[in-house]
Amino acid sequence: MDRIFIVEDDSTIAKAVSDYLGGWGYECICADDFSDITAQFAKANPKLVLMDITLPRYNGYHWCGEIRKLSQVPIIFISSAGDNMSLVMAVNQGGDDFISKPFDMSVLVAKIKALMRRAYDFTKNPDITEHSGVVLNSSDMSMFINDTKTDLSKNEFRILQILFENAGHIVSRDTLMRRLWETDCYVDENTLTVNIARVRKKLSEAGVDDLIRTKKGVGYMVE
């Protein structure tokens, strides 16, 4: 089921759109914290975003720009401002399409279907993983924390990815080394220790401490 992230502060409109799209087989997630759309987007990992322009605190153009730092997911702007300038702004900020309020729901569905066909026939949606405010983007091996992007090495990225996949559980050192071996990048125990230290340093420099816990004699985990 394709997931759609709806960023609309009018709860009546958001629910109406969500209910209608649900009838077409889409899974809809509506934003509920308009001070941090990026984190909600990363957690939802949608196939498409519906973005209102007029929002509390920051407008839709701002959040579109923030999402574009993480992903090339299709974004359709929805707004009561249907003038040419709004359309130009939407496209310049990274939007893929625009629909003016009030709109016919069937027209919205047609736009969604057409945009998804164009986007996913030729491109792959980047794999976005989020945990405790840390966002991993496998398309460029990067980490994104509080609007700051940090590039990771292949080993560093894989270590975080594996720990996130097993959040709440201890991952043994043997398991980590075996998974890294599967990526054609063998590491011995000392090299693994060095890589863990580098990941922790990059997390700390981005303002996140104590995310990775050491279970002495066993392995590592994130809560």
Side-chain angles (χ1 to χ4, degrees):
M1 182 181 291
D2 291 330
R3 185 177 301 138
I4 294 177
F5 183 43
I6 302 172
V7 185
E8 166 61 70
D9 63 323
D10 186 320
S11 58
T12 301
I13 294 176
K15 186 177 186 308
V17 171
S18 177
D19 289 347
Y20 189 85
L21 294 181
W24 281 86
Y26 295 106
E27 178 188 358
C28 295
I29 296 176
C30 297
D32 56 13
D33 179 3
F34 294 93
S35 65
D36 195 355
I37 295 298
T38 309
Q40 293 177 80
F41 164 80
K43 187 174 183 180
N45 194 19
K47 284 291 191 72
L48 183 139
V49 176
L50 295 178
M51 178 75 71
D52 190 17
I53 293 177
T54 305
L55 297 168
R57 193 171 181 183
Y58 297 112
N59 63 29
Y61 301 135
H62 168 82
W63 291 120
C64 180
E66 293 302 298
I67 288 173
R68 280 289 171 259
K69 294 177 183 178
L70 298 173
S71 172
Q72 292 303 309
V73 63
I75 297 176
I76 298 177
F77 276 99
I78 51 177
S79 176
S80 54
D83 56 280
N84 287 336
M85 183 55 68
S86 296
L87 175 57
V88 170
M89 279 286 291
V91 173
N92 285 343
Q93 292 301 315
D96 297 280
D97 206 340
F98 187 99
I99 187 167
S100 300
K101 299 177 185 175
F103 50 81
D104 188 310
M105 290 289 193
S106 61
V107 174
L108 177 62
V109 170
K111 282 181 173 287
I112 289 171
K113 286 181 176 293
L115 187 50
M116 280 196 174
R117 277 197 304 272
R118 294 199 301 270
Y120 298 110
D121 280 349
F122 304 104
T123 63
K124 181 181 178 182
N125 192 31
D127 186 12
I128 304 296
T129 306
E130 186 273 342
H131 183 78
S132 299
V134 179
V135 179
L136 299 179
N137 188 344
S138 66
S139 67
D140 61 359
M141 298 288 181
S142 66
M143 175 176 71
F144 192 82
I145 303 172
N146 295 329
D147 298 331
T148 300
K149 180 180 178 180
T150 302
D151 292 325
L152 302 175
S153 71
K154 190 174 184 179
N155 281 349
E156 292 164 354
F157 183 88
R158 288 288 290 151
I159 287 168
L160 277 177
Q161 187 179 52
I162 292 165
L163 292 177
F164 284 10
E165 288 172 357
N166 296 276
H169 302 281
I170 299 171
V171 181
S172 71
R173 291 175 63 87
D174 286 344
T175 297
L176 278 169
M177 288 187 289
R178 187 168 61 251
R179 292 285 299 273
L180 290 167
W181 171 262
E182 290 172 356
T183 65
D184 297 323
C185 190
Y186 173 74
V187 292
D188 61 26
E189 289 205 23
N190 290 332
T191 306
L192 176 60
T193 300
V194 170
N195 275 272
I196 291 286
R198 287 175 177 166
V199 172
R200 282 176 165 152
K201 184 173 185 292
K202 288 186 177 182
L203 285 167
S204 181
E205 289 172 347
V208 177
D209 294 304
D210 303 321
L211 177 66
I212 301 175
R213 292 185 156 193
T214 300
K215 297 299 179 179
K216 195 170 181 179
V218 184
Y220 307 93
M221 70 177 294
V222 296
E223 297 291 345

